[in-house]
Amino acid sequence: FLALAVSGCLLAATAATVLAAGGLGLFSEETPQTEFIFDDTEAVCTGDWTEERAENPEQHGEGFRYVYYGAPATAVYTAEIEQEGWYEVSGWWTALSNRATNSLFIITCGEESHEVRVNQQEKGGQWNHLQTVYAEAGETITVTLSNSEINGYIIADGLRIAREEGIIVDDDQAVLTGEWVRQALDGAVDSLERFGPCFRHAAGSGDPASATAAFQ
């Protein structure tokens, strides 16, 4: 029930009356989706994958898929981004000694593409960081798991794409002075700890103020 002041008098009206008069609009806006969680059944798979639906304590959902090297095989996960920002991409798999130590994940968004090799003999039954990418609203983040040049079975299971909250400034946006080296390690297992596509390092000798990075 709404009350409107008209010419110093109090006019009572229902919401329907006000809307008909063009005086007030009541509406709700949907919250943009900022987290996407996929199981292997939601991936678009090509090649000779085997579905494993037996109970495994490390699996995500009701099972997973596996494939060996040989004929090309891929599992593709896709998320349509509704709110711009930094998005962390994480993978979930079941670990075993016959898994590949160099399973290949390819993460693409716009013109940005990263190849990340991971050891699926370790860290099973949990979310494992793969890469963090920046996406504009309306862009697509695509994650492709491939059996290209692997040395064991690769596992397609859970995949999560989640927006990082808050204001985030990566080293590419920092104001730099002095001599910094930009280090990109695409495809290297030890690159998984970095944020974004790269990091920078400066020598520790000499004047401590000779190299600075200001994050604003």
Side-chain angles (χ1 to χ4, degrees):
F1 192 83
L2 302 173
L4 304 180
V6 180
S7 300
C9 300
L10 190 63
L11 171 66
T14 64
T17 303
V18 174
L19 289 173
L24 181 66
L26 303 177
F27 64 93
S28 63
E29 184 175 336
E30 292 186 2
T31 302
Q33 184 176 358
T34 57
E35 183 179 46
F36 306 82
I37 297 179
F38 306 95
D39 199 20
D40 63 288
T41 55
E42 298 170 277
V44 177
C45 297
T46 63
D48 192 19
W49 291 87
T50 299
E51 293 189 36
E52 179 59 72
R53 294 295 176 250
E55 191 66 27
N56 185 310
E58 292 187 347
Q59 71 190 29
H60 182 275
E62 297 182 356
F64 57 92
R65 300 172 192 232
Y66 63 87
V67 70
Y68 203 45
Y69 60 76
T74 61
V76 181
Y77 305 79
T78 303
E80 301 291 336
I81 302 304
E82 299 179 6
Q83 182 177 346
E84 67 175 333
W86 288 96
Y87 284 79
E88 181 187 23
V89 180
S90 305
W92 183 300
W93 53 80
T94 60
L96 201 63
S97 60
N98 66 352
R99 310 302 197 226
T101 61
N102 59 349
S103 300
L104 175 61
F105 286 87
I106 305 171
I107 300 101
T108 61
C109 180
E111 297 181 357
E112 185 179 354
S113 181
H114 305 276
E115 294 187 1
V116 180
R117 297 273 182 181
V118 301
N119 183 357
Q120 290 191 321
Q121 294 184 6
E122 302 175 345
K123 300 181 179 179
Q126 65 181 48
W127 290 116
N128 297 290
H129 171 80
L130 299 176
Q131 184 61 262
T132 307
V133 296
Y134 189 83
E136 300 282 353
E139 288 190 318
T140 300
I141 296 177
T142 302
V143 181
T144 302
L145 175 60
S146 169
N147 70 338
S148 175
E149 300 180 355
I150 59 172
N151 57 13
Y153 288 97
I154 62 171
I155 305 301
D157 201 355
L159 195 285
R160 181 177 67 186
I161 300 173
R163 186 178 186 272
E164 300 276 8
E165 298 302 325
I167 299 174
I168 298 173
V169 183
D170 199 17
D171 59 292
D172 275 338
Q173 287 82 48
V175 179
L176 306 173
T177 65
E179 297 295 326
W180 289 87
V181 177
R182 187 179 189 274
Q183 186 71 59
L185 297 173
D186 287 335
V189 173
D190 61 350
S191 70
L192 299 181
E193 293 183 349
R194 75 174 187 264
F195 184 92
C198 68
F199 63 89
R200 284 170 164 79
H201 59 85
S205 60
D207 183 356
S210 62
T212 64
F215 297 81
Q216 301 175 340

